[in-house]
Structure formats: structure tokens, C-alpha cells
Amino acid sequence: MRMLTGLSPLDRKLLRDLWRMKGQALAIALVIALGVLMLVMMNGLVRSLEDTRTAYYERHRLAQVFAPLQRAPQSLLARVAVLEGVTAVAGRVTGSALINIHGQPLPLSAQAVSLPDRGEARLNDIYLTSGRRPDPSHEDEIILLQDFAKAHGLKSGDPLSATMHGARRTFRIVGLAQAPEFLYSAAPGEFVPDDARFAVIWMSQSALAAVYDMNGAFNQLLLGTSADSSLPAILDRVDTLLEPYGGLGAYGLADHVSNRFIEEEISGLRVSSRTVPPVFLAVAAFLLNIVISRMIQSEREQIGLLKAFGYRDIEITLHYLKFILVIAVGGALIGCLLGVISGRSLAQVYQSYYKFPFLLFQVDPMTFLIGVLVSILAAAAGGMVVLQSVFRLTPAVAMQPPAPADYSRSAALASFLKRFLDQPGRMVARRLLRQPGRAAGGVIGIAAGMSLAVAMLNVMSAFDRTLELSFSLIDRSDLSVSFVEPLSDKVLYELQSIDGVIEVEPVRTVAVLFSNGQHSYRGAITGLPPAVRLNRALDVRQQTIPMRAEGVVLGAALADILQVKPGDMLSLDVREGRQPQLQVPVTGVADTLIGSPAYMALDSLNRVLREPNRVSGAYLRIDSAKQDTIYRQIKALPAIAGVSLKQEAREAFQTLIDTSAGAVRYLMAAIAGVITFGIVYNSARIAFAERARDLASLRVIGFTRGETAFVLLAELGIITLLALPLGGLFGYFLVFAISEGFSTDLYRVSAVFVPQSYGIAALAVIIAALLSGWLVKRDIDRIDLVSALKVRE
Amino acid sequence: METDKTEIAFTTAGLTKVYGEGSATVHALRGVDLQIPQGELVVLLGASGSGKSTLLNILGGLDQPSSGQVSFFEQNLSRMDDADLTLYRRDHIGFVFQFYNLMPSLTARENVELVTEIAENPLSPEEALALVGLSERMDHFPAQLSGGEQQRVAIARAVAKQPRVLFCDEPTGALDSTSGRQVMEVLQQVNRELATTVVIITHAATIAGMADRVIHFADGQIRKIDLNDQKTLAQNLVW
Ligand SMILES: Nc1ncnc2c1ncn2[C@@H]1O[C@H](COP(=O)(O)OP(=O)(O)O)[C@@H](O)[C@H]1O
Ligand SMILES: [Mg+2]
């Protein structure tokens, strides 16, 4: 208290009032803090991921244009280099491989990539994490993708057996590396990354060229472009140039699989960073508004007194503004701090997940500023509205204790109330009826908190449901195989004839560039046989997506990108085989759960490609007792590019949604819970503060503690119960907004109605209410009757 | 004591105040014509609900009349807006209320400082509190003081800015006789030593004994004004 000398008496009042209400002030500050935390954390993550990605790409000179082709002589590179807008050129050899690891029943897919014989790669260089680059004079030296090596306990010096170009070879690992072009790496035919099941092998150009008969030639062209160049123009020229060499279509970085995946994740995060924190902040602001306005309402006598002394409105306003600012700014600063702390730790999760060699968590200073400003504005707005109404009163009126509320309005109800309620019950009912606005504020506040919880829980369940549907309803196979190139469907009989294989279902996926005027998308068409059983095309309502004899059915997200609707024609640039250009009608658009699929009937697909009876993979259902022999026989089949077990794919997907953007949802759900509690607790506290005198009077005239507490807590109870259905309703709408933010190109979190999330959220609110009620009840029991009546507060 | 009686502090003419509308209309003041000379101790007597507080609030610039004139020396209060009234209160008026109305979160001294802070030429809080005999209890919070002591703090707070007028609305209404007498002594002392005009509302007729002028109030109107030549000392008042 000594420290307080030197402050004006009003400032001392401020500090003492703050201290007296420290519990409540802290609860409010925390709610604000959590809103700001979300803002800071999410914006920081998005920015950090973007910056890190950009820096990583630049540091290792990731190409701007990728052009796969059959085979072209090195001499062609000089002709590419002079194209307008091209700043760097590299030609390299790539090929697919299978890795045989002892103890693994199935071969693992890998991609082999060449590195220049000497020095660093001009484009798409690697980040060597250990060991050294291969020596071109030792053809068996390789560098292995670090995360694959880690997953299998491999290290520099170990041998590695792999099948390349049909022949089995043994290599020696001399180094481990990461690369910006393999931030995301999934096996062929799969879209979920899995460290253990996809590898990248880097070899010196001459060694790899020898393996794939590519001496003096390359089969992938990489280009660096200047910032002001036109990408479509460059792609066009490159395609023309590569035409005689079996060019498979050049594409920009935006269409590169790994980059697209990262971009999707970041933009998903970006969308949720724009939708979720504002919702949290809005709820926090609303709560703050209610609390502050009621707090000031209860100070009206003191305000009247200050006015009677001759204090000006502006001076009084400043006094309360300071009070609000301390709480709001305090809360916002705590939020900034917590946001940075949680952002940092999440950044670590992201870094290891995305295989960034570094990830600096950085927050745009603007974000801090926005967080603090929003908190201040919300708090100040709440205070101003009430101060205005208090100022409108003459000081004489303001200073009178608010005239006993006029309960005559509820007179009509009196006889009704009398019949059914005892005295305390009637007091509760009358108070609620007398001040419906105040009760409504409480109801809406709690409902808003609950809606956050509902929405977050719902989104969490929606993730799980997506997973469940994808891997039990949509895909009912046990494993799938993909071939290095489309095969005759006779291979199906071969698979069927393996002992223990119960069912075989063909599939044909074809890489295409979809385009409709300006809009285009690099993806694939999935050809499905009639009456699919194992890998089904289902929409969000779990209905089979009907397939016509002609035409393509698109997932809604893809139809959106391409701006097409059923009946429109779509052009397809096929990116394999003869690379025909096709026009097909869109026969349907379906709301799908995963990916941006495009389906065609298998026959129809083969017909338009003029390649009858071809399949690119198959889904199998097998007898698990015989899986070992089945695996062995599949392994022995030629032309297998990859085998994937559904169980493993499912686990990988679970990891994907748990550790990437989905990880944030757990934090959000926890925060929603805390905010809900904060709101309920604050409502109880304010109700208590407003009525402490009345309650003391009740005790004085002989009400028991229980009866006294009832008068207050029954009110809280009724408000809570009224808030439950409303919170459910708010939540229902919030789910749409938020799940949209969580959806990405790869998976959609559909705004499904998950009844449990409503139940759990309601339960959380009820528990919060009980706990708050109990905390307040302790204070009611402790009311000091004498002082409560002596001092007029 | 018989200072320059020609100087009139307050003049009112045809003052009325109406609260509410329709069937709920209350005529709190029904035409009050009054003059209060500077430096007097005036007692306003009347039944509860007769309009005493309403009159005092208007004189003190806490409220505006519905019609009629009210002036403080040459200032016309009925023409003032909210900002002018604020200044008027700040510069000239002190208030003491029945329920003390201290800020519970401030000590006695700090409650007085609340006023000295914004006053032109205030007493120090210590002087003001010494005046009401509370030098010993300056650092106590309201909750640690008796009702009489709280009221004396309120008086100290009101006189600290050396107002020209001190309005007291039932200052002893909530006090026992001993505390009440002490409060009255202080008010009398303020009137004498600081030459402050003091207007006291009460319905305890005995208090009238210490007044220069007793205004009998009933039904929103002045019934009678008594001038008192033989003023009793507050300490001799019979309660
Ligand atoms: N703010 C108000 N609204 C309505 N009526 C009021 C208000 N203040 C006072 N009154 C009424 O005006 C009359 C005079 O009140 P008041 O001046 O407080 O009386 P007194 O102080 O003499 O007891 C009373 O009938 C009272 O009910
Ligand atoms: Mg009165």
C-alpha cells in the first residue's frame, strides 16, 4: 500500500478494485488471452511455414518448371537454356525402383534420382544431413532419403538391395539427405505420405544413367525461370521442344506433387487461421462486453458520487477505461505470450512432419497489434455503452441505490407463481422475468462458449469419421497393388489364382491435365469396374456415386476448381502412353470425402484411350492366414510398382490428420472448453457481486444458507439450461464455417452432424456451471452479514 | 455570526419538479419561492416525501427543475447545461448524504483526496480530517469506521475544498444520538469557522434549535419560515 502514495485517489481506487476482483479480472483476462492465443499461434504458424518453405526452396534452388520425357540427349539442354525467361537448366535421370528390406514381406517403392557427377546440383539440390555425395567412380554409392533410412534404422555404410530396371542390385549408402522436392513423398497410387514406405535414392548421373540406359541422355528436365517470365509461355515452348523426345507435359512448381501438398496444408491452415481465431476472439469480446457492462452498472452509485463532487464525465470515463484496459491489455499480452509458446512447440511438430531442416516460428508484429487492439476495442465498447447510460442519469438519481426494481410487471404471474413456487422460487422467477435483457445476455454468453465447444468437438469427430468412412466403407480391400505401366487385364487372373486371394478388383488410374478454358488441374482419373465391391466411389452420405456408360463424374471440390457442372464438356490431356487429348462430358458432380476424385467407368475410360482391357492396379481381399505366402508371390510378380496394405495406409492417414493441420484441433477443443468455463464462471461471479447485499439481507431476515444460495444458483441454473439448446444451434452453424477451413484438397472434413459432440459440449457446460456454482456458494456462505449491510457498495 | 445579511446566496422563484408521466406523475415541488442568505445555517424540516431532497438536489446542481428559476448569487442555475453544473458543483458545493457514500475501496484520507484533487484552493486532507476530529483514523477504510465516523469523513470530504455551500441531506438519519450530536457540532463549527453556508435536511425538529433559519416544508411547498435569534449550541441539543 505504501507504493500507492503518489498515485491519484482514483488510481488507488482502481488498483484496489482490481485487487478485490482479482479472481474475476483474471478469468476475463484469460478468456481474452485464449482468443488472442489462437490468433497469434495460427497466424504465426502460417507465416512461419510460408517463410520456411520459401527459404528452403531458394536455398536448394528448387526448379520452377518440371518436364518429364522419354529420353533426350544432353545436347538439347543448350537449346532449352536460350528460351526466353529461362535462367537455369538441368537434365537428370529418374526412375522407379523397389527396395527389398530384410524382414519386410513386401517390396517398398522408391524413386531414383540422379545428381551431377561433380559438385552441387544446379537445380533441385539436396540437403545432405550426414555422410557425403556419391563418388561417380563407384557406381554402387547412393544417398538415401533420411526419413526412410530413419524409419528402417539404416545409416551411412549400410548396404541396400534394390530392384531397378528389372534387375536386382546391391548398393552402399554413403550419405543421408532431405530435399525440398520431397517434403511430401508418397508411394505410387497412394496419397498419404508414409516415411517407412517410400524412399528416394540419389546416385551420380553416370551411375544412374548406366542403370536406365540413359548414357548421355536425360529423362527429366528442370528449369529455373526469371520472376517476370510467363509460365504458360515457357511451358508451351518446352512442350514443343520436347515433343520429338516423348515429352510428357511440362508443369510448374504449383503442380508439383510435394509442393502442392505443402501448399494445400498451408492454405488449409491459413483458412482456419482466418476463420477460427476471429470466432474465438469474437466470443471473448462478447463476454468481455457483458462482464464489463455489468461491472460498471454496479458502480453507478460511485459514479453518481463522483459526479456530485464535480468530476467531469470524461474524467470518470477515463477512470473506468483504465480499469478495462488493464484487464484487456493484460489478457491480450498473456495471450501473445502463450500464443508464441504454443506456436513454438507446434512449429516443432510441423517441422519434423514436413521434414523441414529448420523452422523458425515468427509472428508478424501486426498480429500482436491486432490481438491487443481487438481486445481493447471490445472491452472499451462494452464499457462505453453502459457509461453512456449511467451518465444520462442525473447525479442525484445515479447516486440513489437503483430504485427497488419494479416487479409489478410480473403481477399477473403472481397468483400462478404463488401456487407453484415457494418464496425463494418466486424471487428467482420474478428476477428473471423482471430483467429479461440481462438474463438473455447471460444465456447468449454461455451459448456462445458452448457453440465453440460443439464446433471443435464436431470437427474432431468429423476427422475421425472421414478416416472411418475412407478405410472401412469406401475401401474394403485388404491390400492394393499398382503396376509400373498399364497391363492387360489377364494379370487379374494371375492375382486371382494366388492361393488365399478371395477377391480381385481392377482399377485404372490415368494421369491427366483437366482443363476447362482458363481453369485446369493436374490430377488423375480413376476407372472403376461396374458393381465395385472393394474400392467404392461413395459420396458424403455414403451412397454409391452412379456412373454412366460415358463421361466423367467429378468430386465437388474439383468441379469447383474447374468451374464445370454436369452436362459441360471437359478436356483431358492424358499424361501417359500416346498422350491423347480428349473431350469428355461431365455426367455428375458428387460430394466426396477424400481427395478431388474424377471417376469414369473402366470400360469407358479404356475406350476413349483406345486401350481396351487395360488395368493399372488392383484391389485385393485376402485370407489373412495365408498373407505371408501371398506377399511372397506378389513380390515375385514382374511390373509391380508398389503394394500397399490398407492397415498401414490407414495408420499413415491417422498420423497425417493428427500431426499436421489436424493437430491444432486438439488445442482448439481444449481452448473452447476453457473459454466455456470462463464464461459460465464469470456469469456466476457477476450475479453474485450484483446481489451480495440482497443475499446478505436475506440471511439477516432469517433465510438459511441453502435458501439464500438457491436464490442465486437457481437463476444460474435456469440460464445455463436455457443456454444449452441455443449453444447447440450456434454450434451447428459454426461447424459449417470451421469445417470448411479444415478441408483441404486431399481430404474434406464434412460438416456432418455428430450428436455426441453436442452431448459432450452440453455436459461440459453443465459441469462448468456446477463447479462455478460451488465456487460461488462458498462465497455466499462466507458473506459477512454486518459489513455487507454497513457499507453501501 | 450576524454577517452581511444583505448578500443572498440562493434565490428561487416558482420552482417546480415533476417526476414521471401519466398516472405515475409525482409533483415533488409545487412552486417554491425562497431566499437563502450567505453564511447562514439553514435547517429544512418536513415529513418524509415532502420534497426536501428534491429541493436540495436542485440547489446543489445535481438535478434540474421542471420549471421556475433558481440562482446562486448572479449565476442562473436553471439555464446551465451539464458541463456548467459540473463546474458549479466542483467549485462551490459540498455534499453530505444520509448514507455517507464513501468509496469503500479508499481510506478516509483518500476519500478526502478524491475532492481535494480537483478543487481550486482546498484544505489539506489532514486539516479537513482534523477539523472533524478524525486525525487518528485517517488511514482506516470505511468498513473499519463506525457510522458516525464515516459521516464525519464525509463532512471532511465535503468541506475540504472550502465550498461556499454545504448541503447535508439527513446527515444524522442513520446515526445514534451521541454520533448525531458530534456530527452536528462539526457542521456548526464549519459554519462558524469557515463561514460556509450550511443547509441541513432533517426531520428531527430539535435540530432546528441550532439554525439561523428554519424552513418548514410540506407537500412540495414552504409552509413557514422561522428566524432564530437564540441559537443553541449543537452540544446542548436535546435529541
Ligand atoms: N427519481 C424519482 N422518481 C420519481 N419520484 C421521485 C423521484 N425522487 C423523488 N420522487 C418523489 O418525489 C417526492 C419527494 O421526494 P423527496 O424530495 O425525496 O422527499 P423527502 O426528501 O422530503 O423525503 C416523493 O413523493 C418521492 O416519491
Ligand atoms: Mg429525502
Side-chain angles (χ1 to χ4, degrees):
Chain A
M1 289 298 141
R2 286 287 139 238
M3 283 171 50
L4 296 181
T5 50
L7 289 176
S8 80
L10 271 189
D11 286 341
R12 265 175 273 172
K13 167 176 169 345
L14 177 88
L15 290 178
R16 295 222 180 88
D17 286 348
L18 271 175
W19 180 249
R20 179 168 52 87
M21 304 206 296
K22 54 189 175 299
Q24 201 181 343
L26 200 69
I28 300 169
L30 271 184
V31 171
I32 298 177
L34 293 176
V36 174
L37 182 161
M38 291 298 296
L39 184 80
V40 168
M41 181 187 77
M42 298 288 292
N43 283 350
L45 272 179
V46 170
R47 183 191 152 131
S48 308
L49 281 173
E50 281 172 341
D51 288 357
T52 303
R53 180 197 53 184
T54 308
Y56 191 32
Y57 282 7
E58 279 172 4
R59 201 172 291 178
H60 297 278
R61 299 179 295 279
L62 190 64
Q64 296 297 321
V65 172
F66 296 74
L69 62 149
Q70 232 88 62
R71 177 194 178 96
Q74 293 281 354
S75 55
L76 188 67
L77 292 177
R79 286 172 58 199
V80 180
V82 297
L83 289 178
E84 193 186 327
V86 172
T87 55
V89 184
R92 65 180 187 180
V93 178
T94 71
S96 67
L98 288 177
I99 294 178
N100 315 292
I101 285 189
H102 188 72
Q104 288 280 323
L106 290 167
L108 301 165
S109 310
Q111 185 174 3
V113 180
S114 70
L115 286 171
D117 283 354
R118 249 165 301 282
E120 297 185 344
R122 214 167 311 143
L123 289 170
N124 289 20
D125 199 24
I126 54 170
Y127 170 66
L128 200 61
T129 54
S130 68
R132 56 170 174 83
R133 292 178 184 250
D135 179 346
S137 59
H138 294 101
E139 296 199 336
D140 64 340
E141 290 187 356
I142 61 165
I143 291 177
L144 192 60
L145 187 66
Q146 172 186 265
D147 301 272
F148 178 83
K150 240 193 231 162
H152 294 283
L154 296 168
K155 52 190 186 312
S156 292
D158 289 348
L160 186 77
S161 154
T163 307
M164 279 184 198
H165 213 205
R168 193 162 181 155
R169 299 157 205 265
T170 300
F171 297 97
R172 205 160 56 80
I173 303 169
V174 298
L176 301 178
Q178 296 182 317
E181 63 183 310
F182 295 109
L183 285 175
Y184 154 86
S185 48
E190 290 178 34
F191 68 90
V192 178
D194 186 348
D195 286 349
R197 294 189 307 122
F198 182 72
V200 179
I201 296 171
W202 284 275
M203 292 169 64
S204 67
Q205 179 105 13
S206 51
L208 196 60
V211 172
Y212 286 99
D213 291 334
M214 283 278 172
N215 286 317
F218 62 92
N219 64 5
Q220 190 183 39
L221 179 67
L222 304 174
L223 299 181
T225 58
S226 59
D228 55 352
S229 57
S230 149
L231 182 66
I234 293 179
L235 294 184
D236 254 9
R237 284 189 210 117
V238 170
D239 280 344
T240 315
L241 209 58
L242 294 184
E243 173 93 61
Y245 306 98
L248 290 164
Y251 54 92
L253 180 58
D255 281 325
H256 185 268
V257 192
S258 167
N259 181 61
R260 189 194 272 176
F261 176 83
I262 298 289
E263 184 45 51
E264 266 304 316
E265 288 280 310
I266 294 179
S267 77
L269 206 59
R270 193 182 300 124
V271 173
S272 41
S273 82
R274 287 189 189 147
T275 51
V276 180
V279 171
F280 276 65
L281 217 50
V283 171
F286 177 72
L287 166 77
L288 188 65
N289 212 301
I290 293 182
V291 172
I292 297 281
S293 60
R294 290 176 76 168
M295 231 141 75
I296 289 180
Q297 196 72 49
S298 70
E299 293 259 312
R300 47 178 270 152
E301 253 181 86
Q302 308 200 7
I303 294 172
L305 194 63
L306 290 172
K307 289 189 75 171
F309 294 159
Y311 274 89
R312 294 197 186 82
D313 286 359
I314 180 78
E315 292 165 323
I316 301 173
T317 304
L318 279 178
H319 169 64
Y320 286 98
L321 215 55
K322 275 192 218 161
F323 185 86
I324 294 168
L325 284 190
V326 170
I327 298 179
V329 172
L333 291 182
I334 297 175
C336 289
L337 189 73
L338 292 180
V340 171
I341 293 174
S342 46
R344 281 230 174 104
S345 49
L346 259 186
Q348 274 164 17
V349 175
Y350 276 67
Q351 182 192 341
S352 72
Y353 185 74
Y354 289 120
K355 310 185 178 74
F356 285 125
F358 56 91
L359 200 164
L360 273 182
F361 182 76
Q362 270 178 335
V363 183
D364 187 346
M366 268 310 279
T367 306
F368 291 127
L369 203 65
I370 291 172
V372 174
L373 282 183
V374 167
S375 313
I376 290 176
L377 284 183
M384 288 308 108
V385 171
V386 193
L387 278 178
Q388 282 311 313
S389 71
V390 174
F391 289 156
R392 241 177 277 127
L393 305 172
T394 59
V397 177
M399 209 169 25
Q400 285 162 5
D406 178 8
Y407 285 94
S408 56
R409 222 200 285 175
S410 52
L413 277 160
S415 61
F416 170 81
L417 292 176
K418 203 160 190 168
R419 194 128 34 97
F420 293 103
L421 294 173
D422 58 1
Q423 187 60 33
R426 268 176 268 159
M427 287 173 65
V428 172
R430 288 224 178 89
R431 189 173 142 90
L432 287 173
L433 293 171
R434 158 72 197 157
Q435 297 184 312
R438 181 169 291 192
V443 169
I444 293 174
I446 296 177
M450 177 173 152
S451 69
L452 281 186
V454 167
M456 294 326 298
L457 288 168
N458 206 330
V459 168
M460 272 173 74
S461 328
F463 268 101
D464 296 337
R465 220 179 77 112
T466 297
L467 186 75
E468 193 56 39
L469 286 179
S470 309
F471 289 98
S472 355
L473 270 168
I474 295 182
D475 181 355
R476 295 192 291 193
S477 72
D478 295 314
L479 66 91
S480 60
V481 295
S482 55
F483 310 125
V484 283
E485 58 189 0
L487 301 180
S488 152
D489 57 12
K490 293 202 180 67
V491 71
L492 299 176
Y493 301 110
E494 241 175 287
L495 288 168
Q496 183 75 70
S497 68
I498 295 174
D499 183 32
V501 171
I502 302 166
E503 221 176 330
V504 177
E505 185 178 287
V507 66
R508 174 148 196 205
T509 49
V510 180
V512 297
L513 175 71
F514 298 93
S515 51
N516 171 39
Q518 308 274 22
H519 312 285
S520 66
Y521 182 84
R522 277 177 62 93
I525 292 188
T526 307
L528 297 177
V532 280
R533 295 175 39 82
L534 298 185
N535 177 42
R536 306 189 295 166
L538 295 185
D539 64 17
V540 281
R541 282 170 298 281
Q542 301 156 45
Q543 300 297 311
T544 308
I545 298 172
M547 219 89 54
R548 303 275 179 77
E550 299 291 331
V552 56
V553 178
L554 301 178
L558 182 51
D560 228 39
I561 294 173
L562 295 170
Q563 295 283 305
V564 291
K565 53 185 190 313
D568 292 351
M569 291 301 283
L570 190 61
S571 50
L572 309 176
D573 289 318
V574 177
R575 294 305 199 196
E576 58 180 61
R578 298 176 299 103
Q579 303 196 42
Q581 282 211 351
L582 308 170
Q583 295 283 325
V584 292
V586 177
T587 52
V589 171
D591 276 316
T592 54
L593 275 172
I594 289 195
S596 307
Y599 295 114
M600 280 181 84
L602 180 56
D603 284 352
S604 158
L605 178 62
N606 281 335
R607 201 170 331 117
V608 296
L609 289 170
R610 294 174 208 277
E611 296 174 351
N613 307 325
R614 293 275 153 171
V615 298
S616 64
Y619 288 85
L620 275 64
R621 205 150 61 79
I622 60 168
D623 178 350
S624 59
K626 297 178 180 159
Q627 65 179 35
D628 288 348
T629 56
I630 296 171
Y631 293 166
R632 207 173 320 121
Q633 292 185 59
I634 289 177
K635 216 169 165 175
L637 286 176
I640 292 273
V643 182
S644 100
L645 300 182
K646 192 174 76 180
Q647 196 48 42
E648 289 178 355
R650 181 183 181 133
E651 281 156 17
F653 192 80
Q654 179 80 58
T655 317
L656 171 74
I657 61 178
D658 276 354
T659 50
S660 57
V664 182
R665 72 207 162 111
Y666 290 112
L667 203 69
M668 287 180 177
I671 290 175
V674 177
I675 288 188
T676 307
F677 177 78
I679 291 178
V680 176
Y681 177 69
N682 269 301
S683 305
R685 276 248 71 91
I686 297 171
F688 175 66
E690 284 171 354
R691 311 206 58 199
R693 271 183 85 76
D694 296 354
L695 297 176
S697 308
L698 288 180
R699 295 273 290 114
V700 169
I701 61 176
F703 276 68
T704 64
R705 284 186 174 166
E707 285 164 338
T708 311
F710 172 82
V711 170
L712 186 72
L713 297 184
E715 188 182 321
L716 177 67
I718 289 171
I719 286 180
T720 306
L721 289 182
L722 288 176
L724 294 181
L726 197 65
L729 192 70
F730 287 176
Y732 183 77
F733 291 112
L734 206 53
V735 165
F736 284 94
I738 292 183
S739 56
E740 202 51 46
F742 273 105
S743 299
T744 72
D745 226 15
L746 292 175
Y747 52 82
R748 293 193 48 169
V749 179
S750 51
V752 285
F753 178 80
V754 185
Q756 297 94 300
S757 49
Y758 293 79
I760 295 174
L763 200 66
V765 170
I766 291 170
I767 291 175
L770 289 177
L771 194 61
S772 307
W774 177 72
L775 287 172
V776 171
K777 167 88 165 65
R778 288 192 324 173
D779 287 349
I780 295 176
D781 292 347
R782 279 200 227 118
I783 288 182
D784 177 351
L785 299 186
V786 182
S787 73
L789 292 180
K790 194 161 85 176
V791 184
R792 295 182 65 87
E793 277 190 76
Chain B
M1 280 114 270
E2 308 293 294
T3 46
D4 190 3
K5 281 216 171 178
T6 55
E7 255 200 290
I8 303 298
F10 289 100
T11 310
T12 74
L15 209 57
T16 71
K17 179 72 181 179
V18 184
Y19 289 114
E21 283 161 23
S23 63
T25 308
V26 176
H27 290 271
L29 297 181
R30 302 165 182 270
V32 176
D33 302 305
L34 173 71
Q35 292 201 324
I36 297 178
Q38 167 69 23
E40 283 196 356
L41 195 157
V42 178
V43 162
L44 209 54
L45 266 182
S48 178
S50 57
K52 306 182 297 290
S53 298
T54 306
L55 176 62
L56 191 127
N57 287 343
I58 291 173
L59 294 178
L62 291 176
D63 211 348
Q64 289 277 21
S66 302
S67 72
Q69 297 296 316
V70 53
S71 57
F72 176 66
F73 293 100
E74 47 285 339
Q75 287 179 279
N76 189 339
L77 298 188
S78 32
R79 291 247 185 81
M80 286 186 178
D81 62 12
D82 191 59
D84 290 337
L85 283 177
T86 301
L87 266 185
Y88 162 68
R89 293 195 301 267
R90 182 189 275 226
D91 294 342
H92 306 300
I93 310 296
F95 289 101
V96 175
F97 304 99
Q98 178 177 1
F99 294 106
Y100 337 130
N101 292 71
L102 300 179
M103 296 272 171
S105 54
L106 297 180
T107 63
R109 187 209 309 262
E110 289 163 353
N111 263 287
V112 178
E113 280 174 10
L114 209 50
V115 167
T116 56
E117 180 89 349
I118 57 169
E120 281 283 315
N121 179 28
L123 302 175
S124 74
E126 291 75 18
E127 280 176 288
L129 283 164
L131 194 69
V132 300
L134 282 178
S135 298
E136 311 290 281
R137 322 212 61 177
M138 287 197 291
D139 291 320
H140 286 64
F141 282 93
Q144 298 166 317
L145 298 171
S146 75
E149 288 167 337
Q150 287 184 61
Q151 192 60 300
R152 277 146 66 198
V153 173
I155 294 172
R157 185 175 64 181
V159 300
K161 66 172 165 190
Q162 310 220 53
R164 298 177 71 179
V165 188
L166 184 60
F167 288 113
C168 313
D169 192 344
E170 305 197 23
T172 58
L175 300 176
D176 62 88
S177 58
T178 319
S179 314
R181 201 174 293 121
Q182 277 174 355
V183 165
M184 283 304 166
E185 274 176 51
V186 169
L187 289 177
Q188 194 168 46
Q189 187 189 350
V190 167
N191 174 249
R192 290 185 169 171
E193 293 176 9
L194 305 177
T196 309
T197 308
V198 177
V199 181
I200 303 170
I201 289 180
T202 181
H203 41 236
T206 51
I207 293 179
M210 62 182 262
D212 294 304
R213 185 180 295 257
V214 181
I215 301 172
H216 295 267
F217 219 73
D219 233 358
Q221 285 175 319
I222 296 173
R223 278 293 126 88
K224 181 171 75 159
I225 297 181
D226 292 333
L227 295 180
N228 193 359
D229 302 335
Q230 285 318 143
K231 286 198 291 182
T232 331
L233 282 180
Q235 67 209 47
N236 300 331
L237 287 177
V238 189
W239 218 258

